Amino acid sequence: MSLRVSELRVYYRTLKGDVKALDDVSFTMRDGEILGLAGESGCGKTTLGKSLIRMDGRMRHMGGTVELDGRELPIGDDRRMNEFRFHEVSLIPQYSMSAMNPTRKIGKMVGELLGSRGVALDRAELESRLDLVELPRKVLDNYPIELSGGMKQRMVMVISTLLNPSLLIADEVTSALDVSTQKAVAKALIGFRDAGFVKSMIFVTHDLALTSHIADTIMVMYAGKLAEKAPAKVMVTAPRHPYTKLLINSLPEVGVRHADKKLSGIAGSPPSLLDPPAGCRFRARCPVAGDECGQEPPVVEVEPDHFVACWKA
Amino acid sequence: MMLQLDNVTKVYKVGAFGGKTFAAVDGVSFDVRSGEVVSLIGESGSGKSTIGKMILGLTSVTAGSITVDGVPVKAAKEYYRHVQGVFQDPFSCYNPVFKADRVFQLIKESYYPQVSAAEWDGRVRSAIQDVRLDPGQVLGRYPHQLSGGQLQRLLIARALLLDIKLLVADEITSMLDASTRIDVLNLLAELKERGLGVLYVTHDLSLGNYLAERTVVLRNGTVVEMGLTDKVFGDPLHPYTRKLLAAVPRLNAPWEDAEPTDTCRYHAGGASGALFEADADHFVACARLDGCPR
Ligand SMILES: Nc1ncnc2c1ncn2[C@@H]1O[C@H](COP(=O)(O)OP(=O)(O)OP(=O)(O)O)[C@@H](O)[C@H]1O
Ligand SMILES: Nc1ncnc2c1ncn2[C@@H]1O[C@H](COP(=O)(O)OP(=O)(O)O)[C@@H](O)[C@H]1O
Ligand code: SF4
Ligand SMILES: [Mg+2]
Ligand SMILES: [Mg+2]
């Protein structure tokens, strides 16, 4: 088992009270597994990614544990986490394309970054990884501004994985890219896993169609909780949670035309996480909700590797 | 016929002292009719936003002409009464220190000062309902208290308060999640049914296909293929269109292999990019492929 997250709770402190952005989330990941993490804006995806590597000042670890390769990660302890960052867990953050230092040539920046971690730069290794993501070696002599969005994104991937972390978290790394660049970045991520540069990966995105191509397993979150987790193929062909079903039905495939088939979004919006409603958090929007949904549905393994939190799944 | 682009070119000055030039848009012609959505598709940097900005008078046209109902683009109040734009990042259109609904008040002050406050309030509420929002939930709130999708729809409501004939929507759906995205697309479809013309700029081919009657595929500032969406996507002729379509991830099918490109160098823009009509309302630029009919 590569990653085991148990009953994790992470809240944001605000003036109005705690925002319960991650509320009792449990799941595991196998060695070599790519986990696609999907769900509406605000459901807690970025919060989960950040919790596994670096909490920001307003985040509080309220309970639960995270184990990576059998060792517990001290996620609530910023200083002790340092030992794990970059070596064991690495994050490509949302909007990371603009995060590279603009005043340094890329090759120089990589050298300095590794130096700060006490590791010498292996030029040949770096070059072979550039080859893998199809970046010309001369990018090392460029400034970040000289690369296109997709090139920058691939460069950030190479840098974040140079120390072969066990777990890589990629947060919305393809959302701002056009389709052909998206495909190149996605293939590069799979290549990194296949080459063993990272053992396992969490790929966060809004885009279920894209995730279904990259991920072995897809996990859908709703309002700070796990709604459904299943092998990618099962998730897109036979989802069991009403929320997942609606989410998949709102995707226009190439070939669907408004004139022929009007798709619809999910009516309503997610509940506030300051004071989430009791019972199932999807209840107010759920087309099949019943009386039992006033109680919180437990996460149940309905089939091997297929977990659902819904009374009617 | 309403929006008409005729051989439109935009040359930017680049380099430290503007010593070099770069043609971001090169000889583009197409039109958008009333009651029609036309999608403008292309990779980033292909010139889509530059075209949108020229139509909205936010940047000048270097050569060629853009007209709406025969009248050239003019960055003036009367023009904006009929032509409005909505952009990718809705947050940038709001001033965070003011309530979001201030955007409506600004429209009243500059276009409808004679309308009474009570009547204006009624118009605002009905425009907000037109974009399927609940006025009670969105009025009186600050931008950070609303989601991206809500802010985006308020901007469309603002455009509806004017007597618009043409809406330019530039990547308005790329930051939205799947469910909100469909709501916004269905709203654009309703606008078209009410007789508006919509230019829908996107890099997402399946969204363009869902919505648009006609499609224009742009590459390096020139049109490589355009016409009825059914034909452009159903029978794509240019290898670049095929390459884009092959890259679209589909839920239940493996990624298609990219079109082999070694037999062909696409024209990198320039005069040779002339379009020819392959079929009724289906135009393609010669890609100099073997067996190319030209
Ligand atoms: N600094 C903060 N203070 C208070 N609440 C926060 C803060 N950051 C995030 N939140 C809240 O926590 C919840 C989860 O946010 P998170 O960023 O994890 O969402 P996400 O699923 O990554 O969304 P997106 O798809 O938009 O990136 C949201 O309700 C959000 O409003
Ligand atoms: N103000 C500007 N000055 C110089 N070059 C620009 C300017 N705005 C855009 N460009 C360039 O013009 C090209 C087209 O840009 P844009 O229209 O924004 O593309 P798209 O919207 O299709 O991504 C790009 O190469 C971009 O870098
Ligand atoms: S538990 Fe009830 S409300 Fe929640 S998703 Fe299932 S049926 Fe709907
Ligand atoms: Mg996020
Ligand atoms: Mg653009």
Side-chain angles (χ1 to χ4, degrees):
Chain A
M1 203 61 69
S2 163
L3 182 77
R4 178 186 297 279
V5 172
S6 312
E7 297 169 18
L8 186 62
R9 279 175 215 275
V10 174
Y11 296 175
Y12 289 94
R13 282 276 149 84
T14 74
L15 288 175
K16 289 183 184 159
D18 286 348
V19 175
K20 302 176 184 62
L22 271 189
D23 212 1
D24 192 7
V25 171
S26 302
F27 63 95
T28 60
M29 283 175 72
R30 288 186 308 275
D31 288 355
E33 181 169 351
I34 299 183
L35 175 74
L37 180 57
E40 248 161 311
S41 190
C43 71
K45 306 182 294 292
T46 298
T47 307
L48 176 59
K50 285 206 270 185
S51 300
L52 301 182
I53 182 156
R54 185 190 300 273
M55 300 215 191
D56 71 38
R58 279 180 290 185
M59 289 166 80
R60 290 287 176 277
H61 179 202
M62 306 298 288
T65 56
V66 176
E67 240 177 62
L68 183 66
D69 300 323
R71 288 169 77 192
E72 182 170 345
L73 291 181
I75 58 166
D77 186 335
D78 188 56
R79 226 166 31 84
R80 279 177 57 217
M81 270 305 285
N82 247 335
E83 170 193 340
F84 295 89
R85 295 186 183 122
F86 211 24
H87 292 275
E88 299 296 330
V89 202
S90 207
L91 170 76
I92 310 178
Q94 200 167 2
Y95 315 115
S96 63
M97 298 205 298
S98 41
M100 282 193 275
N101 184 342
T103 65
R104 286 272 189 284
K105 285 190 177 167
I106 289 170
K108 186 152 189 260
M109 180 183 66
V110 175
E112 288 174 357
L113 191 72
L114 287 172
S116 75
R117 296 269 153 185
V119 180
L121 173 64
D122 179 346
R123 185 89 184 186
E125 180 63 30
L126 179 59
E127 287 180 349
S128 81
R129 294 191 181 196
L130 292 178
D131 295 347
L132 180 71
V133 298
E134 290 174 28
L135 282 177
R137 293 172 178 189
K138 70 171 172 44
V139 295
L140 296 177
D141 297 319
N142 285 128
Y143 291 97
I145 194 170
E146 293 169 327
L147 308 191
S148 75
M151 290 168 83
K152 270 190 241 176
Q153 198 61 272
R154 277 176 278 172
M155 194 63 228
V156 175
M157 279 165 45
V158 168
I159 298 172
S160 335
T161 52
L162 266 177
L163 299 184
N164 298 347
S166 175
L167 176 67
L168 176 70
I169 302 155
D171 192 355
E172 302 274 12
V173 294
T174 53
S175 305
L177 305 174
D178 55 69
V179 283
S180 23
T181 317
Q182 250 181 16
K183 186 175 173 183
V185 168
K187 296 222 147 156
L189 284 171
I190 297 174
F192 273 49
R193 188 267 315 263
D194 293 347
F197 298 158
V198 300
K199 205 193 271 175
S200 48
M201 192 183 309
I202 299 181
F203 179 78
V204 181
T205 182
H206 284 314
D207 190 336
L208 275 170
L210 184 65
T211 330
S212 71
H213 287 271
I214 299 177
D216 306 304
T217 305
I218 297 178
M219 178 160 112
V220 173
M221 287 182 60
Y222 186 78
K225 288 187 171 289
L226 189 156
E228 183 163 11
K229 177 174 175 281
K233 186 111 203 135
V234 175
M235 196 66 129
V236 298
T237 52
R240 302 273 287 257
H241 195 287
Y243 175 64
T244 321
K245 289 181 189 172
L246 289 170
L247 207 56
I248 285 175
N249 282 334
S250 69
L251 295 178
E253 287 280 274
V254 177
V256 174
R257 307 289 309 272
H258 176 82
D260 312 329
K261 179 184 176 196
K262 192 165 173 242
L263 300 168
S264 52
I266 307 173
S269 46
S272 156
L273 297 181
L274 263 177
D275 190 15
C280 176
R281 291 192 180 176
F282 189 55
R283 192 176 177 196
R285 302 169 82 186
C286 180
V288 296
D291 287 342
E292 66 271 53
C293 308
Q295 301 290 319
E296 186 176 333
V299 177
V300 174
E301 187 165 11
V302 290
E303 271 169 59
D305 287 331
H306 191 166
F307 299 85
V308 191
C310 169
W311 291 116
K312 302 207 172 163
Chain B
M1 194 80 45
M2 38 166 312
L3 171 69
Q4 177 91 44
L5 281 82
D6 226 334
N7 224 349
V8 172
T9 294
K10 173 72 191 184
V11 177
Y12 285 115
K13 291 194 166 57
V14 292
F17 301 100
K20 290 187 201 151
T21 60
F22 166 72
V25 176
D26 194 0
V28 167
S29 306
F30 66 88
D31 58 56
V32 180
R33 299 165 204 159
S34 305
E36 166 180 78
V37 179
V38 170
S39 76
L40 184 58
I41 295 224
E43 289 172 292
S44 80
S46 56
K48 307 181 296 294
S49 296
T50 304
I51 290 176
K53 283 188 208 147
M54 286 191 284
I55 294 168
L56 292 167
L58 301 174
T59 186
S60 64
V61 178
T62 310
S65 81
I66 301 181
T67 55
V68 174
D69 284 341
V71 181
V73 173
K74 199 154 100 261
K77 204 167 132 180
E78 265 322 293
Y79 183 74
Y80 293 128
R81 198 186 277 276
H82 303 304
V83 181
Q84 286 280 318
V86 185
F87 302 93
Q88 173 166 15
D89 173 15
F91 292 93
S92 65
C93 297
Y94 292 90
N95 184 331
V97 305
F98 294 112
K99 290 181 177 157
D101 49 29
R102 179 162 176 270
V103 296
F104 299 118
Q105 193 55 31
L106 295 176
I107 292 286
K108 176 177 185 323
E109 282 163 17
S110 66
Y111 288 93
Y112 301 103
Q114 73 293 355
V115 173
S116 75
E119 188 191 336
W120 184 251
D121 186 60
R123 286 194 205 176
V124 166
R125 284 171 185 275
S126 89
I128 290 175
Q129 278 158 355
D130 280 349
V131 297
R132 275 177 287 112
L133 287 174
D134 173 2
Q137 266 189 18
V138 293
L139 288 173
R141 304 186 69 178
Y142 289 92
H144 72 265
Q145 296 173 316
L146 298 167
S147 75
Q150 289 171 322
L151 292 171
Q152 201 68 277
R153 279 183 275 181
L154 286 180
L155 291 174
I156 298 174
R158 177 182 70 169
L160 295 181
L161 283 165
L162 295 161
D163 174 26
I164 59 165
K165 297 178 179 159
L166 175 71
L167 183 72
V168 176
D170 187 351
E171 303 272 13
I172 62 173
T173 44
S174 54
M175 302 302 275
L176 305 176
D177 56 68
S179 157
T180 314
R181 205 163 61 187
I182 282 298
D183 287 340
V184 171
L185 289 185
N186 287 338
L187 174 64
L188 294 182
E190 274 168 35
L191 296 184
K192 137 191 123 170
E193 277 148 22
R194 283 162 49 170
L196 263 76
V198 178
L199 181 64
Y200 176 59
V201 177
T202 184
H203 62 241
D204 189 324
L205 282 78
S206 40
L207 299 183
N209 179 63
Y210 176 65
L211 198 60
E213 275 77 24
R214 289 191 297 145
T215 295
V216 177
V217 183
L218 201 65
R219 177 170 188 269
N220 290 346
T222 61
V223 176
V224 296
E225 185 158 0
M226 67 179 194
L228 293 172
T229 304
D230 285 341
K231 293 184 179 171
V232 172
F233 285 159
D235 179 24
L237 295 174
H238 199 280
Y240 179 67
T241 314
R242 292 210 288 266
K243 177 186 151 204
L244 285 181
L245 275 168
V248 174
R250 290 152 211 253
L251 258 190
N252 261 320
W255 248 321
E256 290 170 22
D257 286 328
E259 194 76 16
T261 50
D262 50 345
T263 53
C264 165
R265 294 268 82 82
Y266 318 139
H267 292 315
S272 50
L275 294 167
F276 82 104
E277 191 162 10
D279 186 8
D281 211 348
H282 187 181
F283 300 83
V284 61
C286 176
R288 295 238 171 102
L289 279 174
D290 287 346
C292 172
R294 265 186 17 159

